[in-house]
Amino acid sequence: MSELRFEEWVMPGADVGPENPLPPLQRGGRPAKKMEPEKYPGFSDEMLRDMAYGHVANYLPYTMQDRYTRELKERPFKVAVLENEILKATFLLELGGRLRSLVHKPTGRELFEANPVFQPANLAIRNAWFSGGVEWNIGMRGHCPFTCSPLFVGKVEGTDGTPVLRMWEWERIRKTPFQIDAYLPDGSPVLLVRVRIANPHDETVPMYWWSNTAVPETAKTRVLVPADSAYNFGYGKGGPARVDIPEVQGTDITYTTNIGRAADFFFHLKKEQRPWISSPDAEGRGLVQVSTDLLKGRKLFLWGMGAGGRKWQEFLSEPGHAYIEIQSGLARTQMEHLPMPAGTTWEWLEGYGLMETDPEVAHGADWSKARQAVEEKLETLIPRAKMEADFARTAEWADQAPTEIVQRGSGWGPLESKRLAAAGGAPFCSAGTPYAADALSNQEKPWLALLEEGALGEADPEEEPLGYMVQPEWRELLEQAVAAGKGAHWSAWLHLGVMRYYAEDFAGAKQAWEESLAACETPWARRNLAVLAREEERTEEAGDLYVAAVRQRSNLFPLAVECGRFLLEAERAQDWLDLVEQSLVEPVRSAGRIRLLEGQAALAVGDFDRVEKILSENLVIDDLREGERSLSHLWFEFHEKKLSTEEGIPIDDALKERVKKEFPVPEHLDFRMSND
């Protein structure tokens, strides 16, 4: 009997923390990169076009989620559970609808790598990301804006009585709604997930989707996929190229423990091929993921067997939970955005279940037979024709209104619905994905005031500003209001500056932020002016603005980090050390990232004792970025400079090699993702 219920799941988890109030400013209008075919052997012209298309220069209007910690406490998480006689699926509703767990009940087997903790780290578009289960990614390259945020959640009843878990949201960069319908029919050995993306606009938009599935990694886990070649971006020798599989440069890459460094392989499936990917273990059992044809991309991601790769696995979870990711997407690679024509809807069906195949064949030397064995078992598990028929049948309830709304997402979709209604535009969603007005929060309400009363609501300058907008329609409303003298207060000018900056009106942004600062002395306008000064190479002015902003708001961790990075870049290391000592307060002062910046500044001014003390601590960077080597770099540079000073020798290749041999990086500082 199929059942959908809503519960709490308790596990150790960190607090995501408040959003960063500083808008993620960066120069807009990133030019498309020209892809030269001779540098990408085996890539089609269409792929090269899509790799140069759709990139965004920053992630406005979203703000960063970078104030989490590594302090784990037992805490409840809201979950949805879909269950029938064979499978039990658990979704984390407050965390992007992540499909955390899929248990095969007859064997008691967990089909995913279900992370036993919730520990964010800096791997996503908005910084915070966590590993495990199946993550849904929409909009633009990277782990999506919703991966650590709640979605709208509702309950739908299929026409045959099957309970359906519906999750939906409105993606603010592409300005498109998406919908995920998960269901588990009576007696089904496969969990089914129906996805819909709509482009409600009169113009083409760049689109991206990848479903990322974490599965256990063992020495005997093999990744099987119906392909003879893959695209890689720098694995081993050489750059981007299409390579034959399973062996690449003498290594069988379908066994990930053969590989020393982190790597991605995007598999090339033929157009007529049924898209699937599987990860059988030594006994020939493991997850299989399958979809209808639109979701043609398949990928393998692995951390590699180097010390840093192993460290990352534990940094994201606990020892004993090594994983790899088998992924599926709209394009052949994750470097591509696909043109989604105006007024179109893209839909597909995904399936997740237990694959059981002959282990001798699955792990045999004949790659073709290993793939074929899975293909045959898959046709028994869920025939291709049946999956296509289910996809067509479920269209009947794709627009059916939920019988119950269980969780509200953000208020931006509801606000956009109100704007469109006021402008006489057509709604961007169907009755199946209602954006209720009661989802509006304090972030959206000032903009509702602009829409309904003609003036942006004024914020308290002591409160952290949030709720940025960059849509041209909203900018026009705010420009008109300020020009008419309606609500021309400090926060209106602050937001208008962000909008102008996004539109590449940099002179206008500067004028707006100066007006904001004149109306009220806030660190928010000072910081934005510092960013602009930095980009316009007014280096001394930028540094002074940053220092003034930090002194005004010395307990704001993201602002202190930004200031420290810039002062080091501007060769003002002593100014940073003075600011740390004189202005920063706890817990900012002792945060790992601040200590790292302090160590880098101390090294720049030759204070070896201070660097050595910092490196001797259990230095932990909560928001360490994937691929970041700042900890190991500081370790090596410290020993190089110290030996150079003590022995009166130059820092050359010989000294660098000596340091690598005599002073290996301590395990707790080693996050290098390759062995070189």
Side-chain angles (χ1 to χ4, degrees):
M1 181 72 179
S2 180
E3 180 185 6
L4 169 61
R5 60 186 185 272
F6 299 94
E7 302 176 343
E8 284 189 345
W9 173 263
V10 177
M11 66 177 172
D15 184 357
V16 175
E19 294 179 26
N20 185 338
L22 308 176
L25 301 175
Q26 186 177 333
R27 287 288 188 181
R30 177 186 296 172
K33 181 182 177 183
K34 184 179 179 182
M35 300 295 176
E36 301 178 23
E38 64 273 14
K39 294 184 179 179
Y40 292 80
F43 287 67
S44 69
D45 290 344
E46 181 183 25
M47 289 176 66
L48 295 176
R49 177 205 69 188
D50 293 341
M51 286 166 63
Y53 169 70
H55 298 281
V56 295
N58 58 46
Y59 298 116
L60 282 167
Y62 296 104
T63 48
M64 296 296 105
Q65 296 173 309
D66 56 5
R67 295 160 81 178
Y68 49 83
T69 69
R70 295 191 60 78
E71 182 181 354
L72 301 181
K73 296 179 180 179
E74 292 289 323
R75 52 175 289 203
F77 294 85
K78 294 178 182 178
V79 299
V81 177
L82 276 170
E83 187 169 6
N84 69 2
E85 305 90 333
I86 301 172
L87 296 173
K88 178 182 177 181
T90 305
F91 298 78
L92 292 166
L93 303 182
E94 300 153 295
L95 299 171
R98 179 79 61 104
L99 174 52
R100 177 186 179 272
S101 166
L102 185 62
V103 175
H104 183 257
K105 292 167 64 176
T107 61
R109 183 189 185 100
E110 172 62 65
L111 300 185
F112 302 149
E113 176 50 51
N115 198 335
V117 303
F118 170 65
Q119 177 55 72
N122 185 1
L123 288 88
I125 283 173
R126 299 177 67 190
N127 188 312
W129 181 85
F130 66 107
S131 64
V134 184
E135 175 194 22
W136 322 106
N137 294 281
I138 184 174
M140 67 292 306
R141 178 184 170 190
H143 297 286
C144 88
F146 304 104
T147 195
C148 285
S149 297
L151 304 181
F152 285 89
V153 177
K155 186 175 182 180
V156 175
E157 187 173 298
T159 50
D160 60 355
T162 299
V164 179
L165 171 67
R166 175 163 298 164
M167 301 181 288
W168 69 97
E169 251 295 359
W170 186 66
E171 199 289 294
R172 298 179 69 197
I173 291 178
R174 304 305 188 194
K175 294 177 284 186
T176 54
F178 68 96
Q179 170 183 337
I180 301 168
D181 288 345
Y183 63 104
L184 193 50
D186 292 348
S188 174
V190 175
L191 172 71
L192 296 166
V193 180
R194 194 182 202 280
V195 183
R196 169 191 278 185
I197 304 171
N199 175 7
H201 307 292
D202 295 329
E203 58 190 29
T204 297
V205 299
M207 190 45 64
Y208 174 101
W209 181 280
W210 282 82
S211 302
N212 296 354
T213 306
V215 294
E217 179 187 48
T218 72
K220 293 296 185 181
T221 302
R222 190 179 201 188
V223 176
L224 295 175
V225 62
D228 292 311
S229 64
Y231 305 92
N232 79 83
F233 290 82
Y235 166 72
K237 299 175 183 177
R242 183 170 167 181
V243 295
D244 293 335
I245 60 168
E247 285 201 5
V248 179
Q249 298 171 14
T251 298
D252 187 339
I253 58 94
T254 64
Y255 293 96
T256 59
T257 56
N258 288 343
I259 301 172
R261 60 177 296 172
D264 300 303
F265 292 95
F266 300 93
F267 301 107
H268 181 92
L269 277 63
K270 295 179 180 178
K271 288 184 178 180
E272 67 276 8
Q273 172 63 51
R274 187 181 190 188
W276 59 265
I277 189 167
S278 186
S279 57
D281 62 10
E283 298 176 341
R285 297 189 181 98
L287 179 76
V288 65
Q289 191 274 356
V290 62
S291 70
T292 48
D293 291 351
L294 185 64
L295 206 68
K296 62 178 176 291
R298 290 299 184 275
K299 174 193 170 182
L300 164 64
F301 166 77
L302 57 113
W303 284 104
M305 299 305 292
R310 299 298 96 187
K311 181 67 177 176
W312 263 108
Q313 299 256 20
E314 296 181 5
F315 195 71
L316 290 163
S317 182
E318 292 180 342
H321 288 273
Y323 74 95
I324 55 177
E325 286 190 0
I326 53 176
Q327 308 179 7
S328 54
L330 286 172
R332 291 204 180 276
T333 75
Q334 284 175 340
M335 313 304 166
E336 300 167 74
H337 298 91
L338 301 184
M340 186 176 188
T344 59
T345 298
W346 287 351
E347 301 173 279
W348 64 89
L349 188 62
E350 302 181 31
Y352 298 82
L354 174 65
M355 172 53 59
E356 298 181 281
T357 188
D358 184 336
E360 292 188 9
V361 178
H363 295 280
D366 192 321
W367 173 246
S368 179
K369 287 184 178 179
R371 290 164 27 196
Q372 186 61 34
V374 173
E375 188 107 36
E376 291 172 359
K377 290 286 186 178
L378 179 59
E379 191 63 19
T380 301
L381 188 71
I382 181 166
R384 189 175 193 176
K386 182 183 185 309
M387 196 165 181
E388 293 286 353
D390 279 358
F391 175 51
R393 177 181 58 81
T394 54
E396 298 172 2
W397 43 256
D399 291 321
Q400 185 175 309
T403 58
E404 178 185 0
I405 296 181
V406 179
Q407 175 176 279
R408 266 64 176 174
S410 76
W412 299 110
L415 184 63
E416 180 66 5
S417 293
K418 285 183 172 292
R419 187 196 66 78
L420 282 168
F428 63 79
C429 60
S430 71
T433 53
Y435 290 88
D438 61 3
L440 290 171
S441 72
N442 290 335
Q443 291 194 34
E444 298 90 24
K445 286 177 181 176
W447 298 97
L448 181 63
L450 176 64
L451 182 66
E452 296 182 344
E453 302 167 21
L456 187 76
E458 184 172 7
D460 182 345
E462 292 301 314
E463 298 291 328
E464 296 181 355
L466 287 170
Y468 297 103
M469 277 283 197
V470 293
Q471 274 183 250
E473 299 90 344
W474 287 100
R475 178 185 170 187
E476 183 179 352
L477 289 174
L478 186 55
E479 291 276 14
Q480 290 172 352
V482 170
K486 295 180 180 179
H489 44 68
W490 76 269
S491 52
W493 283 113
L494 183 81
H495 282 282
L496 192 56
V498 173
M499 292 169 135
R500 289 175 177 177
Y501 185 96
Y502 182 82
E504 300 185 43
D505 177 6
F506 304 119
K510 184 173 185 289
Q511 180 258 332
W513 290 329
E514 287 174 343
E515 292 278 3
S516 177
L517 202 58
C520 185
E521 295 258 339
T522 70
W524 323 119
R526 277 200 173 92
R527 176 269 181 177
N528 292 350
L529 286 167
V531 172
L532 189 59
R534 179 192 69 200
E535 294 190 345
E536 293 178 347
E537 298 183 355
R538 292 179 278 117
T539 304
E540 194 69 17
E541 180 185 350
D544 292 345
L545 284 163
Y546 265 127
V547 169
V550 170
R551 285 179 175 155
Q552 194 172 358
R553 197 79 172 197
S554 60
N555 63 346
L556 184 57
F557 171 73
L559 177 59
V561 170
E562 243 185 68
C563 176
R565 284 173 167 163
F566 177 74
L567 290 177
L568 289 175
E569 176 188 319
E571 299 182 351
R572 293 175 60 173
Q574 189 59 56
D575 287 345
W576 169 242
L577 293 174
D578 292 343
L579 192 65
V580 167
E581 292 295 335
Q582 299 167 11
S583 299
L584 297 191
V585 297
E586 296 295 349
V588 174
R589 172 68 180 85
S590 59
R593 177 69 70 182
I594 298 297
R595 293 292 280 164
L596 171 64
L597 291 167
E598 183 182 349
Q600 292 169 332
L603 186 61
V605 301
D607 188 345
F608 296 142
D609 290 342
R610 193 168 182 173
V611 182
E612 191 164 25
K613 182 177 183 300
I614 290 171
L615 287 173
S616 68
E617 300 170 357
N618 183 26
L619 188 60
V620 178
I621 312 300
D622 293 347
D623 69 332
L624 195 73
R625 181 68 179 168
E626 179 185 10
E628 182 179 345
R629 295 186 172 197
S630 54
L631 290 168
S632 52
H633 279 178
L634 179 60
W635 174 266
F636 285 136
E637 288 171 8
F638 162 66
H639 287 287
E640 289 164 6
K641 287 189 176 181
K642 187 178 180 185
L643 286 176
S644 174
T645 300
E646 291 175 346
E647 299 180 14
I649 57 177
I651 300 176
D652 54 17
D653 290 343
L655 179 58
K656 290 180 180 181
E657 287 302 314
R658 175 185 163 191
V659 166
K660 286 180 181 179
K661 291 178 181 178
E662 295 182 9
F663 300 96
V665 182
E667 182 180 347
H668 73 284
L669 300 178
D670 194 356
F671 286 84
R672 294 170 296 170
M673 290 168 59
S674 66
N675 288 328
D676 54 10

